[in-house]
Amino acid sequence: MDSPLRIIGFYWTLPVPWRGFTRLPGGIDEAAAASRSIRYQRERVWRWAKDEGGQVVAEEAFLETRADRGTSAILPEVERLLAKAEAMGATLAVVNFAESFHWRPHASLWGRLQAAPRVMALDPVPVLIDRQTFDPVTHFRAWGEMAAAHTALKPKAKAEMAARIRRMKDTGASYAEIAKALNAEGVTTPGGKPWRADNLRKLLAAL
């Protein structure tokens, strides 16, 4: 009797700095809980594995370094997983969003995977998650609209923050003290990063 197909799931997503999403938790369960995109890819791989009578033997999640595109930073992880798949006699399963939706492909990722054996590119079909159908097209379109809205609001947000910083400066607070106070409140820069004395100065200088 043939042994079941062994599968390694690889899931990746982009950071969303303006929402404070700039890192993934270490564990795969935690990563899937933190990112709907990772959760979707994981569900897609597991359902394909079940349909094929296969077994998911390992999983890895990766957060890209740029918010707007895939980069070559992913390649060391890809090389490691391809070597692992070869050593385990496993197939590396990855959801290929661009192939079906004509989105901009992750050139570094698919440029490497196209030339590699033991790779399965899965179509991004909708799947049932928590008793609701998750459609990746709808999901990513909604995120694109939210990102566009955030970009449109940036000038207003910067002006409002600059006014607040000036008011705090008028009370005698230093830039370091203002940064500490804003960070303690959970207030981030318009780009979703922590405040520091230098980026406070840069914001005021730019405006």
Side-chain angles (χ1 to χ4, degrees):
M1 183 175 178
D2 294 336
S3 59
L5 175 67
R6 296 162 65 83
I7 298 162
I8 297 175
F10 180 47
Y11 327 122
W12 69 277
T13 193
L14 300 172
V16 188
W18 59 273
R19 288 291 296 269
F21 179 60
T22 57
R23 60 180 294 275
L24 278 177
I28 191 65
D29 291 335
E30 292 77 11
S35 167
R36 291 285 285 177
S37 176
I38 297 295
R39 172 76 183 278
Y40 164 75
Q41 293 169 77
R42 191 185 195 199
E43 292 284 348
R44 178 69 179 94
V45 168
W46 275 85
R47 289 164 195 263
W48 173 73
K50 182 179 179 181
D51 290 343
E52 296 295 318
Q55 177 185 9
V56 178
V57 295
E59 298 175 282
E60 297 288 345
F62 179 82
L63 183 66
E64 264 292 358
T65 59
R66 293 285 299 270
D68 60 342
R69 72 195 67 179
T71 73
S72 60
I74 202 171
L75 290 178
E77 184 71 1
V78 172
E79 294 294 348
R80 185 179 71 80
L81 290 176
L82 287 173
K84 186 173 184 176
E86 182 67 26
M88 297 179 67
T91 295
L92 183 64
V94 187
V95 178
N96 187 358
F97 295 103
E99 185 67 23
S100 294
F101 301 142
H102 307 292
W103 294 340
R104 178 168 58 184
H106 192 311
S108 296
L109 173 64
W110 291 105
R112 178 65 184 91
L113 293 184
Q114 285 176 355
R118 299 186 176 279
V119 172
M120 180 62 189
L122 298 175
D123 291 334
V125 298
V127 300
L128 198 65
I129 299 178
D130 298 331
R131 299 183 180 180
Q132 294 184 338
T133 299
F134 181 92
D135 183 351
V137 174
T138 302
H139 174 74
F140 291 122
R141 183 179 293 128
W143 271 106
E145 292 171 354
M146 284 191 290
H150 173 76
T151 299
L153 288 173
K154 264 189 174 182
K156 180 181 178 181
K158 287 181 178 180
E160 291 175 349
M161 181 54 66
R164 182 180 180 188
I165 294 167
R166 292 191 182 101
R167 289 195 297 270
M168 295 174 78
K169 281 291 292 178
D170 289 343
T171 67
S174 67
Y175 284 115
E177 290 169 337
I178 295 171
K180 183 177 181 180
L182 293 175
N183 291 332
E185 293 177 20
V187 177
T188 64
T189 70
K193 297 179 180 179
W195 286 104
R196 302 186 306 275
D198 61 340
N199 57 24
L200 287 169
R201 292 190 188 93
K202 289 178 181 177
L203 176 63
L204 293 183
L207 296 176

